[in-house]
Amino acid sequence: MARSRQIIFCRWHGGEVVDSENAGGDDGDEVVQICLCRARERLEIDIMKNKFSRAVSVCATACVFTIAAGCQTRVHGPAPAASPAKPAGPDGPAPTPASSTAPAQTNQPPADAKPASSNVPGAQYPRIDSGRRAYFRIVAPNATNISVTLAGGRGIKGDDGVWTIVTSPLAPGFHYYSIVVDGASVADPASESYFGTGKMSSAIEVPSPGEDFYLPKDVPHGDIRARYYPAKSTGQTRRCFVYTPPDYDTNLTARYPVLYLQHGMGEDARGWSTQGRAGFILDNLIAEGKARPMLVVMDDGGITPGSMGGPRGTGGRFWDKFTQALIEDIIPMIDSTYRTMPDRDHRAMAGLSLGGTQTWGITQSHLDQFASIGSFSAPFGFPEIPGGFNGLLGDPAAFARRVNVLFVGVGSAEGGMANSSRAFHQALEKAGIRHVYYESPGTAHEWQTWRRSLHEFAPLLFQTAPGGNL
Amino acid sequence: MARSRQIIFCRWHGGEVVDSENAGGDDGDEVVQICLCRARERLEIDIMKNKFSRAVSVCATACVFTIAAGCQTRVHGPAPAASPAKPAGPDGPAPTPASSTAPAQTNQPPADAKPASSNVPGAQYPRIDSGRRAYFRIVAPNATNISVTLAGGRGIKGDDGVWTIVTSPLAPGFHYYSIVVDGASVADPASESYFGTGKMSSAIEVPSPGEDFYLPKDVPHGDIRARYYPAKSTGQTRRCFVYTPPDYDTNLTARYPVLYLQHGMGEDARGWSTQGRAGFILDNLIAEGKARPMLVVMDDGGITPGSMGGPRGTGGRFWDKFTQALIEDIIPMIDSTYRTMPDRDHRAMAGLSLGGTQTWGITQSHLDQFASIGSFSAPFGFPEIPGGFNGLLGDPAAFARRVNVLFVGVGSAEGGMANSSRAFHQALEKAGIRHVYYESPGTAHEWQTWRRSLHEFAPLLFQTAPGGNL
């Protein structure tokens, strides 16, 4: 079968021929090797303008497209005579691909805007300016309406089919968002995706001036381990994540206390290590001598079949069966796999939102297993006073003997949830129950509240302190 | 500020009131707590029909929406009089949310279609039938054209604004895809996302009949560890993933050989452990006694600043600086952090596509560091015969003394790349160079080829065998 030889140039490599190994496949298709390091935007424009129509059958690993015989296969023109604009360094201005020089664009970011740290490698958008406005750039020539689900995020379409969007100033911290394209709510391929809001959500990290306790620093780092284990309670292979502190692999005779740390509704076992940056928070606290080296176990508070997802179990609330999984499978597995201190004084449980509600339920019914308790933004499920904890909340002295740490955290901007947390705190005070109450200034029901809550909570754990049992 | 009290019902909990804690926030907004375990689809329809217009300002953790004062805030009607349809068990039929009972839908999956294992928890779509067709269901009432980038993936719009799509029969294995909504190429929030094709891509896992070497089994599992480390060569904190075998944490005096395993272009350090399932492949081989327990180190073959992405470095090809990072930072860090056997006989390098090209380049220039070499679908960069490896490819006996394993793998359906790999294999044969050639039957330039290549390659490593040096 006769086919013309394709020579593919990459504009971003100065016209370098990246590959010309494109003899036809067995099925009469051509295999074209292209460079996508910077060509992706242009290629996508071509695809979306349907130059290939249905020709692009499989996009494999970013560098190979199979294009049906007879279809248009020229991705780029010949190498430009003049050297193309080179992208600048990481901190320099954004590269100016040919497609962005089209006229009549609006919502352009100012010069001080930088790619968000939550972008995928190489993505120049979204960008954030010094006023904490986020700028998006989406190629969608045929769309009639595009927005992002962040404050002010309406799109404006340029003559070149590129939509630009600018948001209102955003609060510092981590915000989930979706792109809504003509009514379809979808994830942004230029941002990292996270399992949150019950789906793969995009999110943008907005810097918080003067706050770096959750950022990676030049300190000893622990590992975040993905651990797969068979769970008798569900009959499935489950996955959890385990933070082991920096000295775990060198101090081979040491044993460690364990914090079981749960995510919120619509999230899963990945939440605390990715969205929450729990590993960096612990690394930094341990390096400063502010927290005791500990393991942190982050499991899936819903009951999911298998390691790769699938439908959640049904019957009752999907998270109720987690109690059995935690007590019968997870804790014994952790204590037999890792060098733990397997007693209640060296075991804590905490969680955010739904995970906090689970913490209240599980620690009340299993106080033989946990001596320290943290609730972050858990607006329903507060224990009764004085009846909670099997009546211990009516006996402050007995409660103090039995519970080493009781921590209640919330964001001051959480509205009704902040009000109810504050009321619970005041009721604990009135009842004489020893506890720590923390209100994160100005943050809502979002990860910045929970990062800060963990940062306040972890130093309290497993310490020998006045009134403590250790 | 006067606001009406909102009582929110969840249809999937039989009308249960999930929360009524919705006193107003400090800014006059209302905070509404809803249940999204099953309500998400309906809520999204409402959002996308613009019932809330700009009212939904922040979608936090799947259960909290902040809705501006004065806007429509009723998400659901009152609890239905009759009990709603309950979702069936994981293996039963899909639940029938109210919105899917609309008339005139097409592309409906047959009864044997099951949610893909690559779906996020709880997602009923995409589904795959026994003929390996994939079915998608996308809510996009205002879109005029929707497709998925898989063979045959054209969308048909139903009267209820829900698009249904069915693909042609797909090859077994792992396929990246995007959804194209009116020209915007975006990720599917119902599937897991992976960094591939240079962005956060969706992917669908199509079962491969009779092939389970890459699936989680009831065998001892190793850990996949995310490790952060300072890299002098880049001045940044980098992240790699390290597979430690099942006995690593119990056999505390043992030392292990190390395989450095690289991803392809457009992917990053996550590729082999998520898309490639390298951990399960090693777990299963080790459990069967077919591979020696080893560490597998998976790093980012591009040079990215920081752990969370951002723009890639520039100047030359973005992957060239990886050589320095590997030799000067990564190998010393691994050998000082983990219990390795830090010599060339116990160190291998392999990679797929771009990673294979890097493997050829790095092992030729650093044969003092590696004694075993694997190239999976690396179509350009084959060493010259006889000049390659500093002339060793012209001296079969010397090559065999110096290189314990040389492995060349490719998929038989890779077209020109299969042809060039086969030609290189034949040239090696003719030159008398000891090597292993593997052609994955019927697979293209995709992960099923590379999973199989790793499964063939790993058992060859670090063995005492005729002609081997160990």
Side-chain angles (χ1 to χ4, degrees):
Chain A
M1 188 174 295
R3 278 180 303 277
S4 64
R5 180 173 175 82
Q6 299 295 319
I7 308 293
I8 306 300
F9 298 95
C10 172
R11 285 188 185 276
W12 292 99
H13 288 153
E16 176 188 353
V17 176
V18 176
D19 185 43
S20 60
E21 288 283 358
N22 58 341
D26 296 340
D27 50 2
D29 289 353
E30 297 196 29
V31 177
V32 180
Q33 181 83 3
I34 62 167
C35 169
L36 288 190
C37 64
R38 293 289 175 185
R40 184 167 63 82
E41 291 184 21
R42 289 189 53 79
L43 182 68
E44 287 194 345
I45 291 172
D46 286 345
I47 292 172
M48 281 180 284
K49 285 181 176 169
N50 293 322
K51 281 193 185 169
F52 295 116
S53 184
R54 307 301 310 157
V56 177
S57 59
V58 173
C59 171
T61 58
C63 53
V64 177
F65 284 74
T66 302
I67 299 178
C71 286
Q72 169 69 35
T73 53
R74 180 163 290 274
V75 178
H76 296 161
S83 181
K86 287 279 188 182
D91 295 325
T96 308
S99 60
S100 75
T101 59
Q105 288 198 1
T106 57
N107 288 338
Q108 293 300 333
D112 70 353
K114 291 186 169 60
S117 66
S118 40
N119 289 5
V120 296
Q124 293 295 322
Y125 287 82
R127 301 173 81 85
I128 302 175
D129 72 13
S130 57
R132 299 201 308 269
R133 292 175 189 81
Y135 298 80
F136 295 80
R137 191 171 177 283
I138 299 163
V139 179
N142 304 323
T144 55
N145 187 22
I146 288 190
S147 60
V148 299
T149 56
L150 294 165
R154 285 181 184 281
I156 296 177
K157 189 177 188 174
D159 291 343
D160 57 353
V162 177
W163 293 72
T164 53
I165 297 166
V166 58
T167 69
S168 306
L170 301 173
F174 181 96
H175 310 295
Y176 289 123
Y177 73 92
S178 296
I179 299 176
V180 183
V181 182
D182 289 347
S185 179
V186 290
D188 182 352
S191 280
E192 288 286 336
S193 295
Y194 306 86
F195 187 64
T197 71
K199 60 185 179 182
M200 288 311 285
S201 284
S202 303
I204 189 164
E205 182 76 49
V206 178
S208 182
E211 206 173 18
D212 66 357
F213 68 89
Y214 56 98
L215 302 180
K217 298 182 187 177
D218 189 11
V219 299
H221 295 288
D223 282 350
I224 302 277
R225 308 172 174 209
R227 163 131 295 264
Y228 293 84
Y229 62 95
K232 286 183 189 163
S233 65
T234 66
Q236 292 150 347
T237 297
R238 286 173 59 89
R239 175 183 63 177
C240 66
F241 291 87
V242 181
Y243 169 81
T244 52
D247 64 348
Y248 187 87
D249 282 297
T250 51
N251 195 359
L252 293 179
T253 57
R255 303 190 73 89
Y256 297 84
V258 186
L259 165 62
Y260 291 84
L261 187 61
Q262 289 304 120
H263 59 83
M265 191 182 284
E267 294 162 349
D268 71 5
R270 293 170 283 192
W272 268 109
S273 60
T274 55
Q275 291 98 307
R277 298 179 167 222
F280 297 141
I281 294 171
L282 268 292
D283 286 344
N284 294 335
L285 284 171
I286 292 168
E288 295 176 84
K290 290 183 178 169
R292 180 168 170 176
M294 65 183 83
L295 303 192
V296 182
V297 177
M298 298 157 279
D299 208 301
D300 187 344
I303 298 300
T304 66
S307 57
M308 301 296 282
R312 286 186 184 268
T314 55
R317 296 180 300 186
F318 66 82
W319 60 84
D320 281 345
K321 281 191 72 179
F322 179 65
T323 304
Q324 188 187 359
L326 179 63
I327 300 298
E328 297 180 12
D329 285 307
I330 301 169
I331 292 176
M333 180 276 292
I334 293 293
D335 283 338
S336 65
T337 306
Y338 300 100
R339 300 192 315 278
T340 65
M341 303 170 83
D343 57 58
R344 67 180 297 281
D345 272 332
H346 298 92
R347 195 180 292 129
M349 183 174 183
L352 73 91
S353 199
L354 170 64
T357 301
Q358 292 180 301
T359 298
W360 288 124
I362 291 172
T363 57
Q364 287 193 77
S365 59
H366 293 86
L367 205 53
D368 58 316
Q369 298 272 6
F370 304 93
S372 296
I373 301 158
S375 159
F376 312 157
S377 303
F380 54 107
F382 283 133
E384 300 281 329
I385 299 175
F389 287 95
N390 294 317
L392 273 185
L393 287 186
D395 185 342
F399 186 84
R401 282 193 301 273
R402 191 79 175 141
V403 176
N404 296 330
V405 177
L406 177 65
F407 180 96
V408 179
V410 75
S412 75
E414 291 196 55
M417 278 169 279
N419 293 343
S420 56
S421 297
R422 215 173 286 131
F424 181 66
H425 155 56
Q426 289 160 353
L428 287 173
E429 290 258 295
K430 190 174 169 190
I433 297 295
R434 190 184 66 201
H435 70 287
V436 173
Y437 177 68
Y438 170 70
E439 209 164 284
S440 165
T443 59
H445 200 72
E446 290 196 290
W447 276 99
Q448 201 70 353
T449 296
W450 308 319
R451 292 166 173 171
R452 289 177 179 170
S453 293
L454 176 61
H455 181 248
E456 298 293 320
F457 176 62
L460 308 176
L461 293 175
F462 316 125
Q463 302 291 331
T464 304
N469 294 348
L470 304 185
Chain B
M1 187 174 297
R3 281 178 302 278
S4 64
R5 181 175 175 78
Q6 299 295 320
I7 308 294
I8 305 301
F9 299 95
C10 171
R11 284 188 184 276
W12 292 100
H13 288 154
E16 176 187 351
V17 176
V18 175
D19 186 43
S20 60
E21 289 283 357
N22 57 342
D26 295 340
D27 51 1
D29 289 354
E30 297 197 28
V31 177
V32 180
Q33 182 82 5
I34 63 168
C35 169
L36 287 190
C37 63
R38 294 287 173 187
R40 184 168 62 81
E41 290 184 22
R42 290 188 54 80
L43 182 68
E44 287 193 344
I45 292 173
D46 286 345
I47 292 172
M48 283 180 283
K49 284 182 178 170
N50 294 322
K51 280 192 185 170
F52 294 116
S53 184
R54 307 301 311 155
V56 177
S57 59
V58 173
C59 170
T61 57
C63 52
V64 178
F65 284 73
T66 302
I67 299 179
C71 286
Q72 169 68 32
T73 53
R74 180 163 288 275
V75 179
H76 294 160
S83 182
K86 287 277 187 185
D91 295 325
T96 308
S99 60
S100 74
T101 58
Q105 288 199 0
T106 56
N107 289 337
Q108 293 299 336
D112 68 354
K114 291 187 170 60
S117 66
S118 41
N119 289 5
V120 296
Q124 293 294 322
Y125 287 82
R127 303 173 79 84
I128 302 175
D129 71 12
S130 57
R132 299 201 306 270
R133 291 174 189 83
Y135 297 81
F136 295 80
R137 189 171 179 284
I138 299 162
V139 179
N142 305 323
T144 55
N145 187 22
I146 289 189
S147 60
V148 298
T149 57
L150 293 166
R154 285 181 185 281
I156 296 176
K157 188 178 188 175
D159 292 342
D160 56 354
V162 177
W163 293 71
T164 52
I165 297 166
V166 58
T167 69
S168 306
L170 301 173
F174 180 95
H175 310 295
Y176 289 123
Y177 73 94
S178 296
I179 300 176
V180 184
V181 181
D182 289 346
S185 179
V186 290
D188 182 352
S191 280
E192 288 288 335
S193 295
Y194 306 86
F195 187 65
T197 72
K199 59 185 180 181
M200 289 310 285
S201 286
S202 303
I204 189 165
E205 182 76 50
V206 178
S208 183
E211 205 172 20
D212 65 357
F213 69 88
Y214 56 97
L215 301 181
K217 299 182 188 177
D218 189 10
V219 299
H221 294 288
D223 282 350
I224 302 278
R225 306 171 176 212
R227 163 130 295 262
Y228 292 84
Y229 62 95
K232 287 182 188 162
S233 64
T234 67
Q236 293 149 348
T237 296
R238 287 173 57 89
R239 176 183 64 177
C240 66
F241 292 86
V242 181
Y243 170 81
T244 52
D247 64 348
Y248 187 87
D249 283 298
T250 51
N251 194 359
L252 293 180
T253 58
R255 302 190 76 88
Y256 297 84
V258 185
L259 166 62
Y260 291 83
L261 187 60
Q262 289 303 120
H263 58 83
M265 191 181 284
E267 295 163 349
D268 72 5
R270 292 170 283 191
W272 268 109
S273 60
T274 53
Q275 291 97 308
R277 299 180 167 218
F280 297 142
I281 294 171
L282 267 293
D283 287 344
N284 294 334
L285 284 171
I286 292 169
E288 294 175 85
K290 291 182 177 170
R292 181 168 169 177
M294 65 183 83
L295 303 192
V296 183
V297 177
M298 298 157 280
D299 208 301
D300 188 344
I303 298 299
T304 65
S307 58
M308 298 299 281
R312 285 186 185 269
T314 55
R317 295 180 301 186
F318 67 82
W319 61 83
D320 281 347
K321 282 191 71 179
F322 179 65
T323 304
Q324 189 188 358
L326 179 63
I327 300 297
E328 297 179 13
D329 286 307
I330 300 169
I331 291 175
M333 180 277 291
I334 292 293
D335 283 339
S336 66
T337 306
Y338 301 101
R339 301 192 314 277
T340 65
M341 303 170 83
D343 58 56
R344 67 180 297 280
D345 272 334
H346 298 93
R347 194 181 293 128
M349 183 174 182
L352 73 92
S353 198
L354 171 63
T357 301
Q358 292 179 302
T359 298
W360 288 123
I362 291 172
T363 57
Q364 286 192 77
S365 60
H366 294 84
L367 205 53
D368 58 316
Q369 298 272 6
F370 304 94
S372 296
I373 301 157
S375 159
F376 312 157
S377 304
F380 54 107
F382 284 133
E384 300 282 328
I385 300 173
F389 288 94
N390 293 316
L392 274 185
L393 287 186
D395 186 341
F399 186 86
R401 283 193 302 272
R402 192 77 175 141
V403 176
N404 296 330
V405 176
L406 177 64
F407 180 96
V408 178
V410 75
S412 73
E414 291 195 56
M417 277 169 280
N419 294 343
S420 57
S421 297
R422 214 173 286 132
F424 181 67
H425 155 58
Q426 289 160 354
L428 287 173
E429 291 258 294
K430 192 176 169 191
I433 297 295
R434 189 184 65 199
H435 70 287
V436 173
Y437 177 67
Y438 170 70
E439 209 164 285
S440 164
T443 58
H445 200 72
E446 290 197 291
W447 276 100
Q448 200 72 352
T449 296
W450 308 318
R451 292 166 172 171
R452 288 177 179 168
S453 293
L454 176 61
H455 182 247
E456 297 293 318
F457 176 62
L460 308 175
L461 293 176
F462 317 124
Q463 302 291 331
T464 304
N469 293 347
L470 303 185

